[in-house]
Amino acid sequence: MNIIEYLTDIGFPPTTPDGPCGSLRGPCPLCGEGHDRLAVWENGGFYCRRCEVKGNFAKLLELTEGLSPTEARERVQTYRQKTVTHTQPEIDLMPNEILDRNKWRASVLDLIEETEEELAHSPEALDFLYQERGLNDSTIRQHRLGLVREYQRLWRSDFGLKPSYLRQDGKEVWKVAVSEGITIPHRLRPEGVISLTVRCWDAAYGRYRSLPGSRLEAMCIAGSGTEFEGVVAVVESPLCAMKLNQDTGVTVIALGGVHTTLGEEVVSTLESAEKIILIMDDDAAGFEAAESYQIAFPQAVSCPVPRGKDVTEAWQAGLDLKQYMRAAVSRADRVLSARRSDHKVTMEPIQSVMASQDDSAEDTASLIPAPVFVSSEPDTATLAAPVVTPAQLSGARGYRYITDPSEAKTAVLEMVQGNDLLAIDIETAPHPDYPDHAKAGLSPTLSRIRLVQLAGRCGDALLIDAFACSGELTDILDPLCTHKLVAHNAVFEMAHLTHVGMAVGIMECTMLMWNALKNETIRERSPGDPKSMALSLKSVLWRALSVEVSKALQKSDWSRPVLEPEQLQYAADDVLHLVRLHDVLLNRLRMDRSEAVYQRMRNCQPTIVSLQQGFPFDGEVHKQMIEEWRAEAGPLEKQVRSVMGDDINLNSKHQLDAFFRANVPAESIAAWPTTSKGLLSTTEETLEANADLDVVAPLLRLRKLEKRISTYGEKMAAFVDPVTGRLMANFHLTGAVTGRMSSSQPGFQNMPRGDFRKIFTGGTGMVIAADFSQIELRVAAEMSKDRAMRQAFRDGVDIHQSTASRILGVDMAKVDEQSRQMAKVISFGTLYGQSGEGLRTYARDFGVEMTAVEARQFQKRFFAAYPQLRSWREDIRKGARRKESVHTKGGRVRTFKGKETSIFPKSLNTPVQGTAGEIQLRALTLVEQELSRFEDARIVNAVHDEIVVIAREEDADAVARLLQECMTRAFLEMFPDAPTMGLVECGVGENWAEAK
DNA sequence: TAAATATGCGCC
DNA sequence: AAACGGCGCATTTTTA
């Protein structure tokens, strides 16, 4: 109990907030009247403006209860003990704000660590603390100051706060705002953190903002050294307190804002102090606060800094804080002795006390340690990319167009000798035999090289007319094979040069560099310029170098025998900036520690070149298949139309919606899932749920066939290379935000399973298919270091069977197939953040009925079985929430844009899927290298965790071993301690279907 | 009329 | 409040 509660108890509750130190006003028990004449401070001080009585809690008890001074002091002690046991939880828990204080503390601690890290890497913010606040590194670390670099909005519930509250304007608020600025944690030990305050950069948010749920209490910084023992300084701002404590070693209390309370630690520090130096701000509020403190604490003496508003300003103006403290203490001594002898004293200004003091010179020297910049940034000396002078950049760079082969040969040699790194670009024209093929001009077999452009760091570009030099082109370009080259989308250049018989090595690629830096994919539009693609040379040049190039002529006629000057200048522009772009991006990659991400993709480029040479394809069998699909679909369509109407378009969502609404009972419609636009969903899943309708089964079958015909029929066959007869697809190293590859035209990664894959053959040889078994779960096990899951893999048991036995608590041997399926579903869903409801609906597809509550029970058991997996997941989730990004083991960073909703599942999935993708990339690189030992052997497909290779029949077994070995090696490079039993499964067959 | 969105489904 | 991820492709429907 404190003085306020006491007054309330005896019927004089002080309820009106007042003043800067948390004082309250209420009626006075001594003069008995009024409603606001008595001012009380939580620390125990009171003052009645009517009866002009003032003092502390004990004094009040003397007067109201008629106690002697000794009795009154004892009574205060007993009250205070009650305070400890009784009011502590009340203060600690803010029922309207915090539901779970432990959660709040844990999250705030995470936030503190995060912001500390941020501050350590922010020279500007450190500079602010060094230069403007005079703090040194040791102080910054001691108080665990941090930095919020960007304004953040975080879920309230993640802090254990009430998930939402109704703002005055009626809007429901779900998030807390964390402003940009310096974070100041308070009282980290032993009770844990009680508040986190941000000193905002943007004054529009006020100077200080506290995280909701903070218990705002004055901060106490314990003194060090002996000079000011027994002295306590009181200031307003925490940063002033830190500065004063740092420079003088005095114990300092920072009051904070008007809403702070003093807290036990502070009160006892003040009570036991011999002298209290009040250094309030030089304003009205500060003056009043000083008054009230002098009433509550007899040993307190007001002693504002002589210049400036507060300690920091005075220090900025040149005040030596140690000298000042000495003067203040000496002044306080005189004031206090005068008070004890009840003499009136005239307050001397602090300046004159300081002037009269005989200070020794050595004490004033170097009070402020020189700032030490601690940084984990890489040594810039090792990063130095070749420097380009402005003169070189601004100098006019044109082109030299060569049509004569021997002249070209000399020029290329000169280029190679004069440049350590050469930029290369190729323009192609459709091959005249196949002008209408979908990939004419793109695929090497369907194209002719029209122009080769080369450029160094400076000087003109070299344009070699490949038509004019045809026949000697490889000879001319031969010196490039052993030279370091850079291109944008270098796979294209590598593929075309390889196709004309050149043994080109791995090129540097600025497109892959940009992807490693920004994680933008091949499909994304350029931010700020929706017309261009994010990874296009135009977009990257603009964003990285502020260089603008036109792409208007990219699709001009490159087949004509004589190229126009405009075309030539366009072609030159494409290479002229490439070397500088490479240098700049490489530097940025190193600064971001993303070079490995880039290199992993770069080294995989030869694999892509191989992959894009196509998969041997049995066109005859394919045609038969299409016939069979049509044969089955025809009657089926008749049957469906006889029910649904001859004119119905079975692909139209509206017409299907209308049909079902008209033919299904109202109660079924009510329970029928809808799409986001309110139409009845007609997915396979929902239709099967209404399978009692006779038309459903044939409709679903028809849909399957239509899908086959439209996507996997003649349209797909159009991608067969007329020269080689192989089916050619595109592969993209930058196809997915997670770092997985993607494939298109046609998508090789979504070919229907089963007999369909018989059309993919080994040509004259065999097909060997190898896949990583349970790669994502293995990755999750390794990244989380979950003991139980790793052990299961080490034992080589079936992971889903093992999980089932753990979840259901039965022996491994007794796990039936259904339980195993369940475990599988629970594992993947739960791992990636599936809800209980989501699991319930998903499980229904597997014929397992459960309620959402039961589903959550399963998820709980899953986490109980794999506890480290659970905490690892939590860490990711928290990190994703704060930084709005997650990263893979290989270093790829995925950032969630502000507008993105529901990042939770993505943030859990990305590290796992992405790391698995990185292992696959490395495996593909190794396989491509090793496969060169075998004649006619080539990688023909790569499906996320599967690698498909063709090889001669006599080599098949050796190639299978090779695959096994390379894939295992790739996995171990990422996770050296990981168990590899059963990691790679491999099959051989005449075609892809049989190789499984 | 062309581009963007919506829906469903093929794969891992 | 709300939640399993990543893709590509065909077709319909809406929007600019």
Side-chain angles (χ1 to χ4, degrees), chain A residues 268-329:
Chain A
S268 74
T269 303
L270 286 170
E271 280 182 341
S272 59
E274 287 168 30
K275 297 163 208 142
I276 299 171
I277 312 290
L278 302 170
I279 315 172
M280 305 304 181
D281 286 6
D282 184 17
D283 52 29
F287 182 79
E288 270 201 41
E291 280 292 294
S292 67
Y293 271 79
Q294 288 182 87
I295 293 165
F297 299 97
Q299 73 276 44
V301 176
S302 178
C303 201
V305 285
R307 50 196 128 144
K309 171 171 147 297
D310 59 20
V311 169
T312 302
E313 277 194 16
W315 168 77
Q316 285 170 347
L319 181 73
D320 181 316
L321 294 178
K322 200 158 193 174
Q323 267 186 306
Y324 160 78
M325 269 315 291
R326 285 182 185 143
V329 169

Side-chain angles (χ1 to χ4, degrees), chain A residues 209-277:
Chain A
R209 292 195 114 200
S210 298
L211 202 74
S214 288
R215 177 175 152 196
L216 293 176
E217 190 176 273
M219 177 187 285
C220 183
I221 305 173
S224 58
T226 52
E227 180 170 4
F228 296 110
E229 225 173 308
V231 178
V232 175
V234 179
V235 300
E236 291 190 25
S237 125
L239 291 180
C240 284
M242 289 170 197
K243 174 62 180 168
L244 190 60
N245 173 265
Q246 171 190 291
D247 284 10
T248 67
V250 72
T251 300
V252 190
I253 284 163
L255 295 177
V258 288
H259 300 298
T260 58
T261 60
L262 285 189
E264 284 174 78
E265 179 196 13
V266 168
V267 169
S268 74
T269 303
L270 286 170
E271 280 182 341
S272 59
E274 287 168 30
K275 297 163 208 142
I276 299 171
I277 312 290

Side-chain angles (χ1 to χ4, degrees), chain A residues 770 772 922-923 926-927 930 933-934 947 957-973 980 983-986:
Chain A
F772 287 106
R922 178 62 180 150
L926 291 172
V927 170
E930 299 293 323
R933 301 204 310 263
F934 297 94
I947 300 177
D957 289 338
V959 167
R961 281 196 298 278
L962 179 153
L963 278 168
Q964 202 134 23
E965 192 214 301
C966 289
M967 291 166 80
T968 304
R969 208 184 339 153
F971 185 71
L972 284 176
E973 280 180 17
T980 57
L983 174 65
V984 181
E985 291 171 346
C986 197

Side-chain angles (χ1 to χ4, degrees), chain A residues 437-438 617 622 626 629-630 706-720 727-728 745-746:
Chain A
H437 193 280
F617 183 75
H622 186 229
I626 298 174
W629 298 335
R630 290 227 166 89
E706 290 295 338
K707 174 84 175 176
R708 285 286 167 100
I709 294 164
S710 65
T711 307
Y712 302 102
E714 277 110 2
K715 278 211 172 84
M716 186 183 83
F719 292 110
V720 169
L727 189 60
M728 293 185 303
Q745 292 194 315

Side-chain angles (χ1 to χ4, degrees), chain A residues 569-752:
Chain A
Q569 186 59 54
Y570 156 78
D573 282 346
D574 267 5
V575 282
L576 280 173
H577 306 284
L578 262 186
V579 174
R580 186 158 68 100
L581 181 63
H582 164 272
D583 294 344
V584 166
L585 295 184
L586 183 60
N587 221 338
R588 283 171 68 169
L589 282 168
R590 288 175 173 170
M591 297 220 287
D592 283 7
R593 307 237 201 301
S594 296
E595 202 178 354
V597 178
Y598 162 63
Q599 286 170 344
R600 190 175 296 112
M601 290 187 286
R602 181 196 62 187
N603 295 340
C604 205
Q605 292 177 107
T607 312
I608 308 298
V609 173
S610 282
L611 275 170
Q612 297 191 149
Q613 288 171 21
F615 203 145
F617 183 75
D618 194 329
E620 287 308 311
V621 172
H622 186 229
K623 280 196 188 104
Q624 285 173 26
M625 284 181 175
I626 298 174
E627 284 310 309
E628 287 166 19
W629 298 335
R630 290 227 166 89
E632 192 187 343
L636 218 45
E637 188 176 346
K638 277 209 180 80
Q639 187 190 340
V640 171
R641 285 192 184 285
S642 71
V643 180
M644 300 182 81
D646 280 344
D647 298 330
I648 194 169
N649 179 349
L650 295 170
N651 287 317
S652 165
K653 356 184 192 296
H654 283 160
Q655 294 181 40
L656 285 183
D657 176 83
F659 174 82
F660 285 120
R661 282 187 197 280
N663 291 278
V664 169
E667 62 265 28
S668 292
I669 294 293
W672 195 300
T674 62
T675 68
S676 63
K677 290 285 180 190
L679 295 170
L680 294 183
S681 165
T682 64
T683 62
E684 191 175 350
E685 188 195 332
T686 53
L687 287 185
E688 271 172 358
N690 291 274
D692 49 323
L693 270 171
D694 288 343
V695 78
V696 162
L699 177 61
L700 284 176
R701 178 66 188 154
L702 183 61
R703 266 196 189 169
K704 289 253 186 271
L705 292 166
E706 290 295 338
K707 174 84 175 176
R708 285 286 167 100
I709 294 164
S710 65
T711 307
Y712 302 102
E714 277 110 2
K715 278 211 172 84
M716 186 183 83
F719 292 110
V720 169
D721 185 326
V723 181
T724 64
R726 299 190 291 249
L727 189 60
M728 293 185 303
N730 299 334
F731 283 86
H732 314 285
L733 285 166
T734 59
V737 278
T738 52
R740 266 191 183 177
M741 290 203 299
S742 76
S743 165
S744 66
Q745 292 194 315
F748 255 25
Q749 293 171 326
N750 57 352
M751 291 301 172

Side-chain angles (χ1 to χ4, degrees), chain A residues 59 123 182 337 348 399 485 501 592 629 680 830 860 882 919:
Chain A
K59 177 82 175 174
I182 298 293
S337 78
E348 288 177 70
Y399 60 86
L485 299 173
D592 283 7
W629 298 335
L680 294 183
T830 309
K860 277 185 186 163
R882 275 194 306 284
I919 292 169

